[in-house]
Amino acid sequence: MKLYKWLGKENEIDALQQDGWFVLTSNGDVAAVKEQESLPSEKIEAYEILDQQGRLEDGAFAVFNNIPVTEEGRELFESRFQNRAGLVEKEPGFAAIRILRPLESDTYIILTMWRDETAFTNWQSSQAYSHAHKKRGTSEGIDKRPNIFPRPSFVTTYSK
């Protein structure tokens, strides 16, 4: 299964929703996602779903953690997420997660959906979050490995 991401402006929301896209907005910008086997288009970013839990439609606040990964770092990066503890799924307000491998770029996306922004910020201050990120910044952390990340990661958020 693949997930497709489309970025655009609010004046295109109605057409996207009629075509079955899950639409999110942020200050006039739109991120729409759709899960299916194939969807050819020039304006759409395609991702292979490596792991998924929950339903995107059950959330109202989306967090896209965009992480550029070098070609030589892909295997290590993916194994890190294949062996994750899965604690985020137990957090109050959690709705869904998608671990997404890019098909045409170097930027992976960890997409989480939450009931609302407060549920997400509560997760960030939880013990489960601390446990999930306990190696970050240490010699054991993947972020300290050479040739893994060509540039900094960044987060984008959208609401339903």
Side-chain angles (χ1 to χ4, degrees):
M1 178 70 74
K2 294 180 179 64
L3 180 137
Y4 297 89
K5 181 176 85 171
W6 179 91
L7 300 174
K9 296 294 179 188
E10 282 187 341
N11 63 346
E12 299 173 85
I13 288 176
D14 290 339
L16 290 166
Q17 288 175 326
Q18 288 176 5
D19 196 29
W21 288 78
F22 183 65
V23 178
L24 304 151
T25 62
S26 178
N27 298 322
D29 292 327
V30 174
V33 295
K34 191 172 191 177
E35 295 175 304
Q36 62 185 49
E37 278 307 315
S38 65
L39 190 68
S41 177
E42 297 169 11
K43 290 177 61 175
I44 297 171
E45 297 174 25
Y47 298 86
E48 185 75 29
I49 299 174
L50 298 179
D51 188 17
Q52 64 181 345
Q53 298 293 323
R55 292 175 6 106
L56 298 175
E57 299 82 4
D58 291 342
F61 185 74
V63 179
F64 290 78
N65 192 353
N66 303 272
I67 308 170
V69 178
T70 62
E71 187 65 36
E72 55 271 13
R74 283 179 169 239
E75 185 177 337
L76 177 62
F77 183 81
E78 288 181 17
S79 71
R80 155 71 171 84
F81 279 97
Q82 288 169 347
N83 296 308
R84 65 188 186 86
L87 298 175
V88 66
E89 290 95 324
K90 298 177 178 93
E91 285 298 304
F94 169 84
I97 187 169
R98 299 292 184 273
I99 310 299
L100 305 172
R101 175 196 294 139
L103 297 181
E104 299 170 8
S105 75
D106 68 351
T107 304
Y108 284 74
I109 293 179
I110 312 306
L111 166 60
T112 54
M113 290 295 302
W114 300 88
R115 176 186 59 236
D116 53 31
E117 187 172 2
T118 300
F120 171 68
T121 57
N122 288 344
W123 149 247
Q124 288 183 302
S125 61
S126 72
Q127 287 183 349
Y129 181 91
S130 296
H131 178 74
H133 298 92
K134 68 183 175 187
K135 293 182 180 179
R136 183 186 289 171
T138 71
S139 60
E140 294 179 59
I142 192 172
D143 60 322
K144 294 299 182 185
R145 305 279 174 95
N147 302 320
I148 299 290
F149 304 109
R151 49 192 187 284
S153 63
F154 62 96
V155 173
T156 53
T157 60
Y158 295 87
S159 298
K160 190 158 114 176

